[in-house]
Amino acid sequence: MFKINENYLKLPGSYLFSAIGKKVNAYSAAHPDKKIIRLGIGDVTQPLAPAILEALHRAVDEMGRAETFRGYAPDLGYEFLRSAIAGQDYQARGCEISADEIFVSDGAKCDSANIQELFSLDNRIAVCDPVYPVYVDSNVMAGRTGTYDSAKETWSDVIYMPCTADNAFAPELPGDGQTPDLIYLCFPNNPTGAVISKARLQEWVDYANRVGAVILFDAAYEAYISEPDIPHSIYECEGARTCAIELRSFSKNAGFTGLRLGFTVVPKELKCGDVSLHGMWARRHGTKYNGAPYIVQRAGEAVYSPEGKAQLKEQIAAYMKNAAYIFNGLKEAGYTVSGGVNSPYIWLKTPGGMSSWEFFDCLLEQVNVVGTPGSGFGPNGEGYFRLTAFGSYENTVEAVDRIRKLHL
């Protein structure tokens, strides 16, 4: 008789955003007359930029002609896209990343889960707390996290790096006796919106090289950085090529949440002894993946065109206008808020000692606004709440005005 992967049975509850969706759908079904404003899941709302649409149309037309039809994509992705990425995302910032170190995929979420397949099950992971749930859940599925403590909501074999108001929601280096093998970092951070300086990130790179760890650096929100001295890539730091893998997404910088496109950078110098992780990821990619669609990769190429860059700059500015409105509006209303400056996420302390889910229910039922309970991101997220800037400006203004009218 067949057997299942029992690690899946260890996962507590359902995926965070699935749980939110069920709650919201149930409320909406019971109150069909209510206008619900969703500022929970980090999904974009602006339509694709004109330059991207034009590239899509051209590519679709190509697929309809025998002489320009494309079948399976190259394992790593098309050269035209990888060269654009290498040149504009990395080499233009002084990062020594070549096109053949870039692996194009259908999104950073998949890559952040799949990348752990390269590593032995006895590797110990370290994560920020609060943290994007996929990092931990994918390691639970693999059997790397030990046993679950339901009272503490932690896993025995996971090193949790607290991100609190006391450290500006940026983790400290692990202490003695807590040496990780794999370190998940995300900056600008999801969910807190926090960032770290280049000097601070350099400390992490130096630490990883010193202890023999690999940093899995999620830079999905780098396009939202507005302040100087905030690194857009970990490869801006000296020594990162021997200790870091970077994950990127087209979802938030170019609105590809529905198209699906991302990439992972694995430098050739990153090795375990004589074994190249670049070679391992290439083997995994070639075995388990048939490539992002040609038309989507052409759309990705348009992101780097002069027209595409100008149009996307305007879109990001619009989202950050929303972020500023949420941040300032809630701060004026007496809420303790952070984020929203280099990130489309606003992280707020729940009022009156309410739990994260109590505040979620309060917002949904009293003012029909949806956000994300901080506890869903980890124990140190309890007592906090995440709002996104990805709605329309009109809905954002209305949502903040509704929240300001709450008497808590």
Side-chain angles (χ1 to χ4, degrees):
M1 182 177 178
F2 71 87
K3 297 180 181 179
I4 62 169
N5 179 355
E6 294 189 358
N7 291 312
Y8 277 68
L9 305 181
K10 299 176 183 178
L11 289 165
S14 59
Y15 183 59
L16 171 61
F17 296 105
S18 298
I20 290 172
K22 290 176 182 178
K23 271 181 168 280
V24 175
N25 290 339
Y27 181 85
S28 183
H31 303 85
D33 58 320
K34 301 292 186 181
K35 176 188 175 182
I36 296 175
I37 300 178
R38 300 170 187 258
L39 301 180
I41 191 169
D43 195 1
V44 296
T45 56
Q46 295 186 59
L48 293 171
I52 293 168
L53 277 179
E54 291 170 10
L56 278 170
H57 285 301
R58 286 195 301 270
V60 168
D61 288 340
E62 288 180 40
M63 296 296 280
R65 297 190 296 268
E67 62 272 20
T68 53
F69 174 79
R70 307 293 177 95
Y72 292 125
D75 287 352
L76 274 66
Y78 283 100
E79 175 68 26
F80 60 76
L81 178 57
R82 291 187 292 114
S83 292
I85 292 169
Q88 299 198 43
D89 280 338
Y90 293 100
Q91 294 163 13
R93 294 190 180 279
C95 305
E96 297 180 6
I97 297 296
S98 60
D100 62 356
E101 294 175 312
I102 293 164
F103 296 80
V104 176
S105 71
D106 57 359
K109 180 179 182 179
C110 298
D111 284 353
S112 66
N114 292 332
I115 196 71
Q116 50 86 19
E117 291 185 21
L118 300 189
F119 303 98
S120 169
L121 290 182
D122 59 5
N123 281 315
R124 196 167 186 196
I125 71 168
V127 298
C128 295
D129 178 18
V131 66
Y132 181 46
V134 173
Y135 306 154
V136 175
D137 287 359
S138 60
N139 279 280
V140 174
M141 294 171 177
R144 191 178 284 112
T145 55
T147 57
Y148 185 66
D149 185 329
S150 58
K152 296 181 179 179
E153 298 183 329
T154 57
W155 295 90
S156 61
D157 293 347
V158 174
I159 297 171
Y160 291 89
M161 302 181 292
C163 298
T164 66
D166 291 338
N167 60 15
F169 302 104
E172 308 292 339
L173 296 174
D176 295 338
Q178 292 281 301
T179 304
D181 302 297
L182 307 176
I183 304 168
Y184 287 82
L185 295 179
C186 174
F187 291 105
N189 184 259
N190 178 15
T192 66
V195 291
I196 58 175
S197 66
K198 182 179 177 180
R200 187 79 177 276
L201 186 57
Q202 183 68 59
E203 292 178 5
W204 280 99
V205 169
D206 293 342
Y207 171 81
N209 278 318
R210 186 167 65 249
V211 303
V214 173
I215 297 174
L216 305 173
F217 190 76
D218 187 342
Y221 300 95
E222 62 81 26
Y224 292 83
I225 294 172
S226 62
E227 295 181 323
D229 195 38
I230 305 298
H232 289 250
S233 168
I234 196 168
Y235 301 115
E236 294 177 42
C237 296
E238 184 178 352
R241 288 183 57 86
T242 58
C243 71
I245 293 172
E246 184 164 291
L247 305 104
R248 291 274 192 108
S249 170
F250 286 78
S251 289
K252 305 311 188 328
N253 68 325
F256 278 39
T257 54
L259 286 183
R260 307 307 306 147
L261 190 66
F263 62 89
T264 291
V265 181
V266 187
K268 294 175 183 176
E269 284 95 322
L270 183 53
K271 296 181 179 181
C272 179
D274 294 329
V275 179
S276 164
L277 268 69
H278 179 275
M280 290 179 68
W281 189 239
R283 185 69 170 86
R284 194 260 176 210
H285 224 55
T287 300
K288 293 191 174 185
Y289 188 60
N290 269 335
Y294 171 71
I295 61 173
V296 177
Q297 293 197 49
R298 279 297 186 192
E301 180 189 30
V303 168
Y304 297 95
S305 69
E307 299 82 5
K309 289 192 289 188
Q311 291 161 9
L312 294 175
K313 185 177 181 180
E314 290 182 5
Q315 285 196 353
I316 290 171
Y319 288 134
M320 293 311 292
K321 180 181 178 182
N322 293 348
Y325 191 90
I326 297 170
F327 182 97
N328 293 325
L330 295 184
K331 187 174 182 180
E332 290 171 3
Y335 287 84
T336 300
V337 292
S338 59
V341 176
N342 298 289
S343 163
Y345 295 124
I346 292 82
W347 189 243
L348 62 130
K349 191 170 180 61
T350 57
M354 299 176 73
S355 73
S356 297
W357 278 105
E358 286 173 344
F359 190 59
F360 174 91
D361 291 336
C362 174
L363 287 187
L364 177 61
E365 294 167 7
Q366 294 191 32
V367 294
N368 308 139
V369 173
V370 177
T372 308
S375 60
F377 298 102
N380 274 299
E382 180 54 82
Y384 285 88
F385 203 76
R386 192 193 75 175
L387 293 173
T388 83
F390 289 123
S392 68
Y393 183 70
E394 294 73 20
N395 279 348
T396 298
V397 170
E398 183 176 350
V400 172
D401 291 348
R402 291 183 190 182
I403 296 172
R404 286 169 63 100
K405 293 176 182 177
L406 282 172
H407 299 289
L408 300 174

